[in-house]
Amino acid sequence: KPDLDKFGADGYLELLKTIDRLYSSDKYDAVILDPLTDAFELAGHDILKASKVGTPSELPGKGSIGYYGSLRKKAHQIVADLTMLTVAPHPKWVLTAIHTQPVNEEGIDRTKKTSDKKAKGVRYEGDVLPMVEGSYKYDLAGDFALKLYTHVLVQGDKEPQYVVQVR
């Protein structure tokens, strides 16, 4: 009920505070944030909370365009803070899992439904995992030194094919 000041979305700031505490800690050698996609959802909730609205389309002014710009900045902030843990006084390994959209197949194979259409309206239900929203998904890979891509191909009754690629 964001319009009644009952939008308890403090997760984004709590996450940043936790990362900050980890920076000065010497108790840990590694940090795992799985999935990072959920951290971006926390950032989205923080944006909505400020305007006391429930969806990006209800935001005053630029609406969802402003939302995605703000989300991009907050996503960059989370990743930058996580990256700083690798150069902390007691450096840590940082592992994250991110669900991103597959390549957009529109125009390539017109018989297939595009990934944007498959994911439309999906949050935590349906046939696909929640994914990184907004334009930050295009910058994401450049913000990490090492990437591991995984894919499972299932075709009819054939055995699934598992693909792992490290860059």
Side-chain angles (χ1 to χ4, degrees), residues 69-87:
S70 296
L71 185 60
R72 178 187 188 110
K73 289 177 186 172
K74 289 182 181 289
H76 270 295
Q77 183 66 56
I78 294 168
V79 173
D81 286 7
L82 286 170
T83 302
M84 288 302 296
L85 296 177
T86 65
V87 293

Side-chain angles (χ1 to χ4, degrees), residues 1-22:
K1 306 234 181 239
D3 54 336
L4 300 175
D5 286 332
K6 293 186 179 185
F7 198 94
D10 299 324
Y12 172 73
L13 293 176
E14 288 300 319
L15 175 63
L16 293 182
K17 289 177 189 175
T18 300
I19 295 170
D20 190 49
R21 284 192 299 272
L22 287 167

Side-chain angles (χ1 to χ4, degrees), residues 18-47:
T18 300
I19 295 170
D20 190 49
R21 284 192 299 272
L22 287 167
Y23 182 84
S24 54
S25 172
D26 60 357
K27 291 171 73 174
Y28 304 99
D29 295 323
V31 174
I32 300 172
L33 183 54
D34 181 26
L36 182 57
T37 316
D38 286 354
F40 297 159
E41 285 289 322
L42 296 176
H45 295 163
D46 191 64
I47 296 164

Side-chain angles (χ1 to χ4, degrees), residues 51 53 55-68:
S51 296
V53 297
T55 67
S57 62
E58 297 173 45
L59 286 167
K62 295 183 179 180
S64 59
I65 293 172
Y67 170 81
Y68 289 117

Side-chain angles (χ1 to χ4, degrees), residues 74-128:
K74 289 182 181 289
H76 270 295
Q77 183 66 56
I78 294 168
V79 173
D81 286 7
L82 286 170
T83 302
M84 288 302 296
L85 296 177
T86 65
V87 293
H90 179 81
K92 292 143 189 73
W93 290 95
V94 177
L95 246 116
T96 64
I98 307 161
H99 306 136
T100 57
Q101 287 181 329
V103 175
N104 196 338
E105 297 154 342
E106 190 170 338
I108 297 168
D109 184 346
R110 296 189 190 278
T111 63
K112 291 186 177 182
K113 197 175 191 183
T114 67
S115 50
D116 285 333
K117 287 181 184 171
K118 287 178 194 172
K120 185 173 179 150
V122 173
R123 281 289 196 222
Y124 294 97
E125 305 168 353
D127 296 331
V128 297

